[in-house]
């Protein structure tokens, strides 16, 4: 068994590399590619093609740990790049745009959950999964389509910053409930402990910036890297050990660094490590996904795709208007926020460690299917935003006139 | 000219410069050092990407734009000091041959090799004195030159008569 572990890891990493290359060629986000690679060569369906086994990688504990680190470092970088100063400087508009985004999309997600008969907890998971946009895919699309230099990038990025705060709160709450144990008392206690721990981290992040600055002022890149990795993983692991969300802990560790002068260096030295762990995370999601479960949720999936795409387009357009943008740019804001990705999967990963059967397999499978579709759909919509705008402007009869 | 700065999470920083005529230059500074430059001709138009440069070339371009590679020089013969030059402060005593004569007339640079970069006169400092500046008693001349040149000038400043070269 041990002899083949290295080979399996090698196959997994090669698979990830090939998937990334294919996605890059196709001009699409790498996230769905990594997931599909995991689905393809994982133990679940599709397991063989014309009698030849496709199961090259079993779901191993080792890959799970790497995937866990992927979550930790994705959220660490989110915290690192989280600009509290930007949020405060533009707070009126960001709060407006962010609130509209939350109310519309989380609301639609919750409605879907209730309409399809899920429990309260399950509905909360579904709402979170369909609400949060993918900062990675959105930012990449903004850069590739040149929107980054246009006014519409303002509300788009502002909404993403607002979502950062909400996802931290959301994950903290949900983790406490899920990991904390069954009864109401347990849940409330663990929420209290969670906010206590995070409160301590937040205080360290805010007031300890100078100490952090000095503690990490080391000239060797190697030592710098090790210190960052060690600290982040340790704090995240400690959080998880006491039943809190390791993701949110990592987020707060990231914010602790965002106030120091080390941010550029961290981007330089630690980003490749994050890229590696994150890629394994997406791959591992694919490994654990049983696509046959999707049969049960096809209707939910289809409804979610349609409803939440329209939801984001609408809420984004309203946000664009709140920023004083014209109709064309406001629509871009709407379409720009459609891509879903890494955070929906982080939420799904949390679900898969939960109690009920539905949470463990149905919700994650739904999330994977949803992200696969929405990451690609979002990218395509952004690329064709102007055509869509033209179509909407000239009305339903516009097709024949074009 | 207003400069707007925003952070772009996951990418880097964005700077927008308002140009005359209402257009805007948008500069994106990526975390990995890459610089992208866009031009937006007017508010309603889309930004057009002009070019992008990797970090090192971007910094070189920046230096050129700043004038560090080529700086137009106002005066005609400037000696750029190298390595062994030092700066000295020389007292001009009352009886010195320098007193009452202009720097040009004394042909200081030609005779000794130093450049007079400033004159301290009481509380006043005359920096970059023009060649026709007249030296007064109790001035302190601040000069730049090699040790040999400074020595040569010392002797000139202390001379009280004009005999000898």
């Amino acid at each position: 068994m041990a002899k083949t572990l290295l080979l399996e890891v090698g196959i997994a990493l090669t698979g990830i590399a090939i998937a990334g290359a294919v996605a890059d060629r196709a001009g699409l986000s790498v996230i769905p590619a990594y997931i599909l690679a995991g689905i393809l060569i994982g133990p679940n369906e599709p397991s063989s093609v014309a009698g030849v086994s496709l199961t090259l990688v079993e779901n191993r504990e080792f890959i799970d740990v790497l995937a866990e680190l992927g979550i930790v470092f994705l959220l660490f970088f989110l915290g690192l790049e989280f600009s509290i100063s930007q949020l405060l400087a533009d707070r009126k508009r960001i709060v407006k745009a962010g609130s509209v985004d939350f109310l519309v999309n989380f609301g639609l997600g919750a409605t879907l959950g209730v309409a399809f008969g899920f429990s309260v907890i399950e509905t909360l998971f579904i709402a979170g999964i369909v609400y949060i946009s993918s900062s990675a895919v959105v930012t990449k699309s903004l850069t590739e389509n040149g929107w980054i230099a246009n006014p519409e990038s303002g509300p788009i990025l502002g909404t993403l910053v607002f979502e950062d705060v909400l996802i931290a709160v959301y994950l903290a709450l949900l983790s406490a409930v899920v990991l904390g144990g069954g009864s109401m008392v347990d849940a409330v206690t663990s929420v209290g402990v969670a906010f206590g721990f995070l409160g301590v981290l937040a205080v360290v992040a805010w007031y300890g910036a100078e100490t952090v600055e000095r503690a990490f002022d080391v000239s060797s890149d190697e030592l710098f890297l090790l210190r960052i990795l060690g600290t982040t993983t340790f704090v995240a692991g400690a959080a998880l050990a006491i039943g809190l969300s390791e993701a949110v802990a990592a987020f707060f560790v990231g914010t602790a660094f965002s106030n120091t002068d080390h941010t550029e260096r961290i981007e330089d030295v630690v980003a490749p490590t994050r890229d590696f762990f994150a890629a394994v995370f997406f791959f591992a999601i694919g490994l654990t996904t049983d696509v046959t479960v999707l049969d049960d949720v096809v209707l939910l999936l289809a409804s979610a795709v349609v409803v939440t795409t329209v939801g984001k387009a609408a809420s984004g357009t309203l946000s664009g208007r709140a920023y004083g943008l014209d109709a064309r740019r406001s629509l871009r804001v709407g379409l720009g926020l459609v891509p879903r990705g890494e955070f929906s999967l982080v939420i799904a990963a949390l679900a898969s460690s939960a109690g009920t059967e539905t949470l463990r397999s149905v919700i994650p499978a739904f999330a994977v299917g949803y992200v696969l579709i929405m990451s690609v759909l979002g990218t395509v919509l952004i690329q064709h935003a102007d055509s869509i705008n033209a179509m909407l402007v000239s009305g339903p009869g516009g097709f024949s006139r074009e | 000219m207003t400069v707007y700065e925003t952070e772009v999470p996951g990418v880097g920083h964005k700077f927008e410069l308002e140009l005359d005529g209402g257009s805007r230059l948008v500069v994106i500074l990526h975390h990995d050092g890459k610089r992208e430059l866009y031009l937006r001709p007017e508010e309603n138009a889309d930004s057009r990407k002009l070019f992008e440069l990797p970090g090192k070339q971007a910094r070189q371009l920046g230096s050129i734009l700043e004038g560090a590679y080529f700086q137009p020089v106002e005066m005609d013969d400037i000696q750029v000091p190298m390595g062994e030059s030092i700066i000295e402060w020389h007292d001009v005593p009352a009886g010195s041959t320098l007193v009452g004569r202009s720097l040009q007339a004394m042909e200081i640079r030609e005779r000794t090799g130093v450049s007079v970069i400033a004159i301290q006169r009481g509380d006043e400092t005359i920096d970059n004195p023009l060649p026709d500046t007249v030296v007064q008693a109790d001035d302190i001349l601040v000069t730049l030159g090699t040790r040999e040149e400074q020595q040569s000038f010392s002797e000139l400043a202390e001379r009280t008569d004009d005999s000898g070269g």
Side-chain angles (χ1 to χ4, degrees), chain A residues 289-336:
Chain A
T289 300
D290 187 357
V291 292
T292 58
V293 175
L294 281 176
D295 291 340
D296 302 335
V297 287
V298 163
L299 197 55
L300 172 65
L301 194 57
S303 324
V305 168
V306 172
V307 166
T308 62
T309 303
V310 173
K312 279 283 178 175
S315 68
T317 308
L318 284 173
S319 304
R321 289 310 218 168
Y323 269 70
L325 301 178
D326 64 22
R328 183 177 69 103
R329 293 211 195 275
S330 297
L331 178 66
R332 283 186 175 183
V333 175
L335 296 176

XYZ file of all heavy atoms in Angstrom, chain A residues 289-336:
337
model
N -16.315 13.746 -4.829
C -17.652 13.995 -5.370
C -18.173 12.775 -6.097
O -17.508 12.223 -6.962
C -17.627 15.182 -6.344
O -17.180 16.325 -5.642
C -19.005 15.449 -6.915
N -19.362 12.388 -5.719
C -20.028 11.279 -6.387
C -21.062 11.887 -7.330
O -22.129 12.318 -6.898
C -20.695 10.396 -5.328
C -21.258 9.127 -5.933
O -21.175 8.959 -7.171
O -21.794 8.319 -5.165
N -20.710 11.928 -8.615
C -21.599 12.623 -9.535
C -22.961 11.957 -9.689
O -23.923 12.577 -10.129
C -20.970 12.832 -10.941
C -19.825 13.813 -10.867
C -20.539 11.519 -11.532
N -23.049 10.675 -9.314
C -24.346 10.022 -9.450
C -25.365 10.629 -8.485
O -26.571 10.582 -8.736
C -24.239 8.515 -9.157
O -23.716 8.348 -7.832
C -23.312 7.839 -10.144
N -24.860 11.208 -7.397
C -25.770 11.856 -6.439
C -26.463 13.058 -7.085
O -27.557 13.447 -6.679
C -24.988 12.307 -5.177
C -25.880 13.080 -4.228
C -24.385 11.099 -4.491
N -25.802 13.599 -8.103
C -26.373 14.775 -8.761
C -27.733 14.484 -9.393
O -28.532 15.389 -9.594
C -25.418 15.306 -9.839
C -24.239 16.143 -9.330
C -23.329 16.531 -10.463
C -24.745 17.397 -8.625
N -27.995 13.204 -9.720
C -29.292 12.849 -10.293
C -30.419 13.340 -9.404
O -31.449 13.801 -9.885
C -29.422 11.325 -10.433
C -28.495 10.781 -11.499
O -28.060 11.581 -12.357
O -28.212 9.579 -11.477
N -30.200 13.236 -8.069
C -31.270 13.622 -7.145
C -31.485 15.126 -7.110
O -32.556 15.573 -6.713
C -30.923 13.168 -5.714
C -30.712 11.667 -5.636
O -31.263 10.953 -6.491
O -30.002 11.234 -4.711
N -30.438 15.870 -7.472
C -30.568 17.314 -7.289
C -30.566 18.091 -8.596
O -30.336 19.296 -8.608
C -29.443 17.865 -6.370
C -29.692 17.471 -4.942
C -28.085 17.408 -6.846
N -30.834 17.378 -9.694
C -30.804 18.046 -10.998
C -31.732 19.247 -11.037
O -31.383 20.320 -11.520
C -31.170 17.045 -12.125
C -31.547 17.782 -13.386
C -30.011 16.115 -12.397
N -32.939 19.055 -10.490
C -33.911 20.139 -10.534
C -33.439 21.327 -9.702
O -33.520 22.491 -10.131
C -35.267 19.636 -10.029
C -36.474 20.506 -10.395
C -36.550 20.731 -11.893
C -37.765 19.873 -9.891
N -32.934 21.012 -8.496
C -32.411 22.077 -7.633
C -31.269 22.806 -8.331
O -31.187 24.032 -8.334
C -31.919 21.474 -6.302
C -31.167 22.431 -5.368
C -32.091 23.537 -4.870
C -30.575 21.681 -4.186
N -30.394 22.015 -8.962
C -29.236 22.588 -9.640
C -29.673 23.528 -10.765
O -29.207 24.658 -10.872
C -28.385 21.453 -10.190
C -26.970 21.778 -10.642
C -26.200 22.409 -9.502
C -26.274 20.505 -11.096
N -30.576 23.044 -11.600
C -31.036 23.852 -12.729
C -31.692 25.134 -12.233
O -31.408 26.222 -12.742
C -32.003 23.041 -13.589
N -32.582 24.989 -11.236
C -33.247 26.181 -10.706
C -32.230 27.149 -10.137
O -32.300 28.352 -10.375
C -34.228 25.807 -9.586
O -34.851 24.593 -9.830
N -31.279 26.585 -9.378
C -30.274 27.448 -8.752
C -29.497 28.224 -9.797
O -29.279 29.428 -9.666
C -29.336 26.619 -7.887
N -29.087 27.541 -10.847
C -28.298 28.207 -11.885
C -29.075 29.381 -12.480
O -28.583 30.504 -12.575
C -27.884 27.213 -12.990
C -27.331 27.960 -14.191
C -26.858 26.236 -12.458
N -30.303 29.117 -12.877
C -31.108 30.166 -13.516
C -31.398 31.301 -12.537
O -31.116 32.467 -12.809
C -32.426 29.575 -14.058
C -33.340 30.685 -14.529
C -32.150 28.596 -15.186
N -31.950 30.936 -11.376
C -32.381 31.944 -10.409
C -31.221 32.800 -9.917
O -31.316 34.032 -9.862
C -33.089 31.246 -9.218
C -33.240 32.200 -8.057
C -34.445 30.713 -9.658
N -30.105 32.148 -9.570
C -29.025 32.935 -8.978
C -28.237 33.726 -10.007
O -27.639 34.742 -9.667
C -28.077 32.051 -8.159
O -27.475 31.094 -9.018
C -28.804 31.365 -7.042
N -28.225 33.277 -11.256
C -27.580 34.090 -12.292
C -28.354 35.385 -12.470
O -27.786 36.477 -12.484
C -27.517 33.335 -13.628
O -26.825 32.115 -13.436
C -26.809 34.152 -14.692
N -29.678 35.248 -12.606
C -30.513 36.439 -12.734
C -30.388 37.297 -11.476
O -30.308 38.527 -11.547
C -31.988 36.033 -12.973
C -32.884 37.250 -12.935
C -32.129 35.313 -14.306
N -30.333 36.622 -10.314
C -30.214 37.341 -9.055
C -28.977 38.220 -8.996
O -29.040 39.404 -8.664
N -27.816 37.635 -9.326
C -26.583 38.417 -9.288
C -26.601 39.525 -10.332
O -26.155 40.648 -10.077
C -25.361 37.518 -9.545
C -24.891 36.755 -8.355
C -24.111 37.614 -7.374
C -23.719 36.780 -6.164
N -22.874 37.502 -5.227
N -27.107 39.192 -11.521
C -27.159 40.218 -12.575
C -28.002 41.394 -12.100
O -27.634 42.553 -12.272
C -27.721 39.614 -13.856
N -29.134 41.072 -11.462
C -30.026 42.133 -11.000
C -29.408 42.924 -9.851
O -29.364 44.162 -9.886
C -31.367 41.530 -10.575
N -28.923 42.221 -8.824
C -28.382 42.928 -7.661
C -27.160 43.734 -8.068
O -26.942 44.846 -7.594
C -28.038 41.950 -6.539
O -26.956 41.129 -6.906
N -26.347 43.171 -8.967
C -25.166 43.884 -9.433
C -25.531 45.137 -10.211
O -24.900 46.187 -10.064
N -26.556 45.029 -11.060
C -26.995 46.198 -11.827
C -27.441 47.297 -10.867
O -27.108 48.468 -11.061
C -28.128 45.821 -12.787
O -27.729 44.700 -13.572
C -28.473 46.972 -13.710
N -28.188 46.925 -9.832
C -28.613 47.921 -8.847
C -27.403 48.565 -8.167
O -27.356 49.778 -7.960
C -29.502 47.276 -7.789
C -30.936 46.958 -8.202
C -31.633 46.165 -7.105
C -31.704 48.244 -8.485
N -26.419 47.728 -7.830
C -25.206 48.258 -7.197
C -24.498 49.242 -8.116
O -24.017 50.280 -7.678
C -24.239 47.130 -6.845
O -24.855 46.181 -6.043
N -24.435 48.890 -9.392
C -23.796 49.782 -10.362
C -24.485 51.128 -10.388
O -23.850 52.186 -10.407
N -25.826 51.095 -10.353
C -26.595 52.345 -10.320
C -26.276 53.139 -9.061
O -26.145 54.359 -9.116
C -28.097 52.030 -10.364
C -28.578 51.523 -11.706
C -28.129 52.404 -12.826
N -29.113 52.568 -13.859
C -29.017 53.488 -14.823
N -28.010 54.314 -14.836
N -29.932 53.564 -15.756
N -26.135 52.417 -7.932
C -25.822 53.097 -6.666
C -24.475 53.806 -6.754
O -24.219 54.777 -6.052
C -25.818 52.097 -5.516
N -23.572 53.290 -7.624
C -22.274 53.915 -7.806
C -22.326 54.996 -8.876
O -21.312 55.573 -9.246
C -21.231 52.863 -8.213
C -20.501 52.235 -7.058
C -21.147 51.372 -6.185
C -19.155 52.499 -6.842
C -20.467 50.792 -5.133
C -18.454 51.910 -5.800
C -19.123 51.062 -4.947
O -18.451 50.487 -3.909
N -23.527 55.193 -9.457
C -23.657 56.240 -10.459
C -23.199 55.830 -11.839
O -22.879 56.678 -12.679
N -23.157 54.540 -12.105
C -22.733 54.092 -13.431
C -23.923 54.031 -14.376
O -25.056 53.869 -13.947
C -22.088 52.705 -13.345
C -20.859 52.571 -12.450
C -20.375 51.145 -12.437
C -19.769 53.508 -12.914
N -23.630 54.115 -15.681
C -24.722 54.043 -16.652
C -25.195 52.593 -16.808
O -24.628 51.683 -16.241
C -24.298 54.642 -17.993
C -23.176 53.867 -18.655
O -22.984 52.685 -18.334
O -22.480 54.458 -19.502
N -26.241 52.408 -17.626
C -26.867 51.084 -17.734
C -25.880 50.023 -18.218
O -25.861 48.900 -17.704
C -28.074 51.163 -18.666
N -25.062 50.400 -19.198
C -24.138 49.407 -19.760
C -23.138 48.936 -18.717
O -22.900 47.731 -18.557
C -23.409 50.027 -20.953
C -22.476 49.092 -21.692
C -21.875 49.787 -22.888
N -20.943 50.835 -22.482
C -19.621 50.719 -22.524
N -19.072 49.614 -22.948
N -18.847 51.713 -22.145
N -22.571 49.884 -17.976
C -21.591 49.495 -16.970
C -22.248 48.786 -15.791
O -21.654 47.898 -15.198
C -20.820 50.728 -16.470
C -19.935 51.367 -17.530
C -18.726 52.007 -16.885
N -18.009 52.918 -17.753
C -17.087 52.555 -18.623
N -16.796 51.291 -18.766
N -16.467 53.448 -19.348
N -23.474 49.192 -15.447
C -24.155 48.533 -14.335
C -24.425 47.078 -14.657
O -24.289 46.199 -13.801
C -25.469 49.240 -14.012
O -25.232 50.563 -13.599
N -24.800 46.796 -15.898
C -25.018 45.399 -16.293
C -23.718 44.619 -16.163
O -23.712 43.464 -15.737
C -25.537 45.321 -17.736
C -25.755 43.886 -18.247
C -26.885 43.215 -17.475
C -26.076 43.874 -19.737
N -22.614 45.281 -16.505
C -21.312 44.623 -16.358
C -21.049 44.251 -14.909
O -20.466 43.212 -14.623
C -20.203 45.549 -16.855
C -20.091 45.608 -18.349
C -18.893 46.413 -18.722
N -18.667 46.405 -20.159
C -17.624 47.004 -20.734
N -16.759 47.653 -19.994
N -17.487 46.969 -22.038
N -21.453 45.143 -14.003
C -21.280 44.833 -12.576
C -22.059 43.557 -12.247
O -21.561 42.654 -11.578
C -21.752 45.992 -11.677
C -21.678 45.600 -10.217
C -20.920 47.232 -11.937
N -23.286 43.492 -12.734
C -24.128 42.331 -12.479
C -23.514 41.045 -13.018
O -23.370 40.058 -12.295
N -23.145 41.085 -14.288
C -22.584 39.880 -14.894
C -21.226 39.538 -14.275
O -20.862 38.377 -14.138
C -22.440 40.081 -16.411
C -23.765 40.276 -17.159
C -23.515 40.555 -18.635
C -24.656 39.058 -16.997
N -20.500 40.586 -13.890
C -19.171 40.381 -13.334
C -19.175 39.593 -12.035
O -18.182 38.990 -11.668
